[in-house]
Amino acid sequence: MSQTTEAAAAVAEARPPRNPRVHRAWFVAAVTFVTIIGAAAFRSLPGLLIDPLHQEFGWSRGTIGAAVSVNLALYGLTAPFAAALMDRFGIRRVVAAALTVIAVGSGLTVWMTAAWQLLLCWGLLVGLGTGSMALAFAATVTNRWFTERRGLVTGILTAASASGQLIFLPLLSWIVETHDWRPAAVTVALAALAVVPFVWLLLRDHPADVGLAPYGATAFVPKPPPVPGAARRAVAVLSRAVRTGTFWLLAGTFAICGASTNGLIQTHFVPAAHDHGMPVTAAASLLAVIGVFDVAGTIASGWFTDRFEPRRLLAVYYALRGVSLLFLPMLLAPSVHPPMLFFIVFYGLDWVATVPPTIALCRAHYGDDSAIVFGWVLASHQVGAALVAFLGGVARDVFGSYDVVWYASGALCAAAALMALVIRRPAGRAPVPA
């Protein structure tokens, strides 16, 4: 071999390996997107089952709402521990186990005959499963695999839940109307199980597992060792976060976010529209349309979060949501009119647009602990949702309508807008996140 050839070979060996044309982080984000869609199937079901369960078993809407509230509360309270478990055992194992628990809980509901069984299957099991794959899952994947485009990726992964609603709501409403509610519960169980192989075969815990740096990073990042004491760490992070005013403001605003979305619209919109004579399938289709525009609104919010101050974005989102809720009682009717469609489009764009700026504020204020802190903030989101899911059913039983719930939620959103403006900028950081 000539000296020139040897020199060229030496240079080739010294040159670092080229990054793939499409970074593996985007494939991981795609698997995460599909996984969250699979888990979203069960979250599409509660509002469709309130009337069928009330008619078949005679349970009050407050009783059914209590099961929904347990589900929503556990969805949030499990999230911070799930983020810590992902640090200890890896994303893939935790998510695969969570999907299996969702499938078991949903499947067992077809044999229930008493309200406590609804609380056990629908509330406890599915609440724990969905909580283990809550938005803290998306935050963990984003933090590990991306250093650039974090806001955009957060918006895309957040939109996965809405995409699941878009896919499953029309299908499940048709199944409930045509074949009863039990086949719909089985459909949800099968959807969760179908995602497990994708998670196990394609999802990876860290870029270092495949010899890559995170997307946008200029240097290789070694995989951190497993963190023992997942529960202890989650509680320790909470104990530090609660000493800051920012945490309470984020938790308060996100509690109102949950109250005005999952707890209110997702749980009670279909039965409220049915009270005014609208067919269940039509009301469910409107919720699916919310899902269409939620995808666009959340991705756009992620793009905005990369460019504008997150706390101001939050204030605008909550203020607009509150105004729209005040008009909703005047829009409900037996048929769908253009003003209702305008509300659906408007509310869809704002549905979870609050998530990317909230995650950005957690990341800016709490650094490496941000995924767990966001898990606790998400817990407040679900506690707010749980309270309104229960109280909304009680209000319907007591007052015979949902009007008072719409007005109260609108006022809460106005308070959330003011709280967002009070959040301080993180010391020593630029006002616009990277």
Side-chain angles (χ1 to χ4, degrees):
M1 182 182 292
S2 66
Q3 291 182 350
T4 303
T5 305
E6 291 177 354
V11 170
E13 291 178 1
R15 186 181 299 146
R18 295 177 61 187
N19 287 328
R21 183 169 298 177
V22 179
H23 197 283
R24 180 66 177 268
W26 294 109
F27 293 102
V28 171
V31 174
T32 304
F33 186 90
V34 173
T35 303
I36 296 174
I37 285 178
F42 194 89
R43 298 182 62 202
S44 303
L45 200 55
L48 302 177
L49 299 191
I50 290 179
D51 285 337
L53 293 177
H54 174 69
Q55 293 168 6
E56 179 172 338
F57 297 106
W59 300 334
S60 71
R61 291 176 176 82
T63 298
I64 301 170
V68 178
S69 70
V70 171
N71 174 282
L72 293 172
L74 286 176
Y75 175 90
L77 294 172
T78 305
F81 297 98
L85 284 172
M86 289 177 189
D87 287 341
R88 175 67 179 87
F89 298 105
I91 299 173
R92 183 170 58 169
R93 292 178 180 177
V94 172
V95 172
L99 285 166
T100 304
V101 171
I102 292 172
V104 171
S106 182
L108 288 177
T109 58
V110 301
W111 290 290
M112 66 183 180
T113 57
W116 68 267
Q117 294 165 345
L118 178 67
L119 286 166
L120 174 65
C121 297
W122 196 347
L124 180 63
L125 291 178
V126 178
L128 290 174
T130 53
S132 298
M133 307 180 36
L135 292 172
F137 170 38
T140 301
V141 170
T142 305
N143 288 348
R144 291 187 182 183
W145 282 88
F146 293 86
T147 58
E148 292 183 356
R149 302 291 187 268
R150 280 178 168 175
L152 176 63
V153 175
T154 300
I156 293 172
L157 296 182
T158 303
S161 180
S163 300
Q165 178 174 288
L166 166 64
I167 293 169
F168 287 105
L169 259 175
L171 172 64
L172 294 176
S173 64
W174 176 80
I175 292 174
V176 170
E177 285 281 286
T178 308
H179 300 289
D180 195 25
W181 63 269
R182 288 177 177 84
V186 173
T187 301
V188 170
L190 294 176
L193 283 178
V195 182
V196 174
F198 292 95
V199 171
W200 195 253
L201 295 175
L202 300 176
L203 192 62
R204 291 295 179 267
D205 294 329
H206 195 276
D209 290 340
V210 290
L212 293 174
Y215 178 82
T218 57
F220 182 79
V221 178
K223 183 178 180 178
V227 181
R232 184 168 60 252
R233 184 184 176 210
V235 174
V237 169
L238 175 64
S239 68
R240 292 193 295 269
V242 295
R243 299 170 191 169
T244 64
T246 298
F247 174 82
W248 291 107
L249 290 169
L250 288 172
T253 55
F254 224 42
I256 294 171
C257 179
S260 56
T261 53
N262 301 88
L264 182 65
I265 298 295
Q266 190 165 22
T267 304
H268 294 294
F269 178 81
V270 171
H274 191 54
D275 284 346
H276 287 77
M278 186 180 295
V280 171
T281 50
S285 297
L286 290 177
L287 276 184
V289 174
I290 284 180
V292 174
F293 289 94
D294 184 14
V295 174
T298 308
I299 294 174
S301 178
W303 187 85
F304 289 142
T305 302
D306 286 332
R307 289 160 176 78
F308 301 103
E309 193 174 345
R311 62 196 186 101
R312 292 185 179 177
L313 289 175
L314 286 178
V316 172
Y317 296 156
Y318 285 120
L320 293 176
R321 184 183 300 178
V323 171
S324 66
L325 284 173
L326 295 178
F327 284 96
L328 181 57
M330 295 178 282
L331 305 179
L332 291 169
S335 59
V336 180
H337 298 289
M340 172 59 79
L341 289 176
F342 179 80
F343 169 84
I344 292 297
V345 171
F346 189 87
Y347 211 82
L349 292 172
D350 200 341
W351 182 266
V352 285
T354 56
V355 174
T358 301
I359 291 179
L361 287 168
C362 287
R363 187 182 298 124
H365 283 272
Y366 301 105
D368 292 338
D369 291 332
S370 61
I372 297 177
V373 172
F374 178 71
W376 285 111
V377 172
L378 179 63
S380 71
H381 180 282
Q382 296 308 115
V383 169
L387 286 173
V388 172
F390 172 66
L391 294 176
V394 172
R396 171 62 178 80
D397 290 335
V398 173
F399 299 108
S401 77
Y402 286 99
D403 287 359
V404 67
V405 185
W406 308 131
Y407 294 134
S409 297
L412 285 174
C413 288
L418 295 176
M419 292 166 65
L421 292 175
V422 177
I423 298 173
R424 295 182 179 181
R425 293 177 180 175
R429 296 178 186 263
V432 178

